Amino acid sequence: SQTIHQWPATLVQPVGSPLSLECTVEGTSNPNLYWYRQAAGRGLQLLFYSVGIGQISSEVPQNLSASRPQDRQFILSSKKLLLSDSGFYLCAWIDRRSYNSPLHFGNGTRLTVT
Amino acid sequence: RKEVEQDPGPFNVPEGATVAFNCTYSNSASQSFFWYRQDCRKEPKLLMSVYSSGNEDGRFTAQLNRASQYISLLIRDSKLSDSATYLCAVDPHSNYQLIWGAGTKLIIKP
């Protein structure tokens, strides 16, 4: 069966520090991968998506970046965090081999920038 | 007009009651529709996909109304554990880029 792992679960970082969040998917190949952010009490905001290794599309210009070094690995990074980067970060994947395939989320990372 | 819209609620409903909420979408060519449930401080989890013919899973029924461009979720015999935020998602271009509603908060009261 397919699973998605995301870590860490919680993170407290000072303003100006770097960030690296990692996500891996198991049990599938060549998935679409996504990074979302959800601010407190708000909806889901798509940050990045990837259809393959090294292929990253950015939805929102900001100080975050994403990379996909391997087929089932997706990394979200920042060189210098801002207070506004605080939020709930969710990695997700879709199996493109199936029509009408739903999105599956990881457990999320709750980031607090202080 | 937003691409996908939901009533944010909250819907306060007594235990055992039936509750329904809708999600409207703007792109008439949309083909894929989903309902997700999100508990406080947790990730969204798929509740059910919405098919053209409608579908039912226990106490939950989802329907698609293409003419009026909305999907609905009906919860019968509501339980305290149904309290959550319900998100709808639509893939308007069939390219696996889901557009999300902001969610409807449901509170079931004893």
Side-chain angles (χ1 to χ4, degrees):
Chain A
S1 64
Q2 302 97 346
T3 56
I4 178 168
H5 302 280
Q6 184 182 342
W7 65 93
T10 59
L11 196 57
V12 180
Q13 293 282 102
V15 167
S17 64
L19 173 74
S20 180
L21 303 181
E22 190 164 341
C23 168
T24 59
V25 180
E26 296 178 359
T28 188
S29 60
N30 201 25
N32 274 16
L33 297 174
Y34 304 82
W35 278 111
Y36 283 89
R37 178 170 62 199
Q38 189 175 38
R42 306 287 296 275
L44 290 167
Q45 180 188 34
L46 179 63
L47 301 175
F48 302 94
Y49 69 91
S50 171
V51 299
I53 296 174
Q55 300 179 64
I56 308 295
S57 295
S58 173
E59 292 295 302
V60 182
Q62 57 209 324
N63 68 321
L64 299 171
S65 62
S67 62
R68 186 170 176 174
Q70 300 180 50
D71 180 46
R72 289 170 289 174
Q73 184 185 28
F74 206 24
I75 298 171
L76 181 70
S77 304
S78 174
K79 292 182 179 178
K80 288 186 178 181
L81 284 168
L82 306 173
L83 284 174
S84 58
D85 291 325
S86 293
F88 190 38
Y89 288 81
L90 291 154
C91 181
W93 70 279
I94 273 183
D95 183 354
R96 290 205 306 264
R97 299 170 298 180
S98 303
Y99 175 72
N100 204 34
S101 181
L103 198 67
H104 301 280
F105 289 92
N107 291 340
T109 296
R110 195 159 300 279
L111 172 66
T112 303
V113 182
T114 60
Chain B
R1 181 185 175 186
K2 291 182 181 178
E3 289 192 79
V4 178
E5 290 195 83
Q6 293 183 256
D7 183 336
F11 284 49
N12 290 284
V13 175
E15 191 177 7
T18 295
V19 59
F21 25 83
N22 296 335
C23 166
T24 59
Y25 60 94
S26 61
N27 189 325
S28 60
S30 300
Q31 296 296 322
S32 301
F33 309 88
F34 307 94
W35 281 107
Y36 283 75
R37 171 197 169 122
Q38 185 174 24
D39 293 296
C40 187
R41 300 179 68 81
K42 297 287 188 180
E43 77 278 16
K45 292 185 178 178
L46 179 68
L47 183 62
M48 52 202 315
S49 302
V50 186
Y51 305 120
S52 294
S53 56
N55 49 313
E56 186 174 317
D57 183 3
R59 299 182 293 107
F60 298 83
T61 300
Q63 292 196 316
L64 167 64
N65 185 316
R66 284 198 181 277
S68 300
Q69 293 182 209
Y70 71 88
I71 59 173
S72 64
L73 180 67
L74 179 80
I75 305 174
R76 289 181 297 276
D77 187 24
S78 53
K79 313 289 185 191
L80 294 175
S81 57
D82 294 332
S83 297
T85 295
Y86 290 83
L87 304 169
C88 66
V90 178
D91 186 354
H93 306 294
S94 298
N95 63 354
Y96 305 102
Q97 302 305 317
L98 297 185
I99 307 297
W100 294 85
T104 295
K105 186 170 185 177
L106 175 64
I107 300 171
I108 306 298
K109 296 182 177 268

